[in-house]
Amino acid sequence: MKESPTVPSATPRGPLRIGAADDEILRAINRFQYMTAAQVGRLLYPQARDENRYVQRRLRRLVEAGYLLRLRELPTPRVGSAPHVFTLADKGRRFVSGRGDALASTYYRPSEERAKAEDNPFMEHTLAAVDVLVAAERLCRKFPVSMPRLLNERQLKRSSIRVQPAGRPEAPLMAVIPDAWFQLTAVEGDPVSIALELDRGTEGQKQWRRKVASLAAWAEGPYREAFDSDNLTVAVAAPTTSRRNQLGTWTIDELTEIDRPELADIFLFTDASPVATDLFEWFFGLRWYPAGATNPVSLIDLPLSEALEPETSAAGVSQQPEGPSSPPTLTWALMDDEEEAEREPE
């Protein structure tokens, strides 16, 4: 298959010199900690149609130069080959911190990173969270939306908060650690704070309800001060419609039993894929169900006085979303996703 004409060749001619494209890749992997080639491609080259071959070659060069650590392949899917997972190696960490970016984690042991990759459920869960965060960053690149704050799971673990589950004085203290926490701001609106919970269909009712009681205590107690935020949405992504409905029922049952029914609206559930669903639709479409509700809402409300319009490319062609057919009339100049590769001359 011929590569997309918008993607430059990545064949090295000499010693690797970190150019703009490599810089973007290293900084993205620092933010999200772990990424596959497909995730890097969706974020930085969303218009490419080369099945990520360009990104794979560039990642391989960064691995060979010592900037990235390539972890083991994930289990082979039913269709296609098993993807590798990449994280920053020591040289990449020094490069990113030298650019002034804070490292997502100050702790690094290559052997421990490889051991984590051996834990398939952990890595698959982590990468599912990265899919959501990549979608959020793509939203910010394409629409007048910003993400002022982002904490991944490792960062949240370092400052985890233990709470007494609401309405359960006999229960032990529970550590509340969302899969990610981030804020999105549309146009000039207030930041919407989102605690991400990714469900893999493995938790039973007792486990889930204990989590709901802990999240309720967290939201009512230490959350506001710890995160310096006056709002919270617990966004739960489920694998199927039936599981989404099941989690919603368990949640409203628990909130009712612990006398916290007013918190039902902060729990939103979806079975829409952040990868397969249009960006605009996933965040702004009616794809989310409050606990116990049958009518869907959006994860983020559209501003009343403004509408969102995707940015216009350098060629003047509007990059329209596949979602709602009547986007607003606001333009926003963003960085170009396609960066030119730089090489050391021979």
Side-chain angles (χ1 to χ4, degrees), residues 11 24 100 127 204-205 233 248 277 280 323-325 338:
T11 305
E24 284 285 332
L127 292 174
Q205 180 174 182
T233 297
T277 308
F280 192 97
S325 59
E338 308 297 342

Side-chain angles (χ1 to χ4, degrees), residues 169-186:
E170 76 290 348
L173 295 179
M174 295 287 294
V176 177
I177 308 171
D179 294 316
W181 182 89
F182 57 101
Q183 290 183 318
L184 292 175
T185 305

Side-chain angles (χ1 to χ4, degrees), residues 95 100 106-107 130 162 172-174 197 263 289 293 337 346:
F95 174 83
T106 57
Y107 182 83
V130 173
R162 300 181 72 83
L173 295 179
M174 295 287 294
E197 287 288 340
L263 294 180
Y289 292 79
D337 286 340
E346 296 184 49

Side-chain angles (χ1 to χ4, degrees), residues 33-55:
Q33 191 176 356
Y34 303 104
M35 295 186 80
T36 64
Q39 289 171 331
V40 173
R42 281 200 304 275
L43 177 64
L44 300 180
Y45 300 96
Q47 304 303 320
R49 296 294 181 267
D50 67 341
E51 299 180 347
N52 298 311
R53 288 196 294 272
Y54 168 73
V55 171

Side-chain angles (χ1 to χ4, degrees), residues 320-343:
Q320 295 290 348
E322 298 175 1
S325 59
S326 300
T329 56
L330 180 70
T331 57
W332 192 40
L334 297 176
M335 61 180 292
D336 186 358
D337 286 340
E338 308 297 342
E339 299 283 5
E340 288 296 327
E342 296 184 32
R343 304 186 192 90

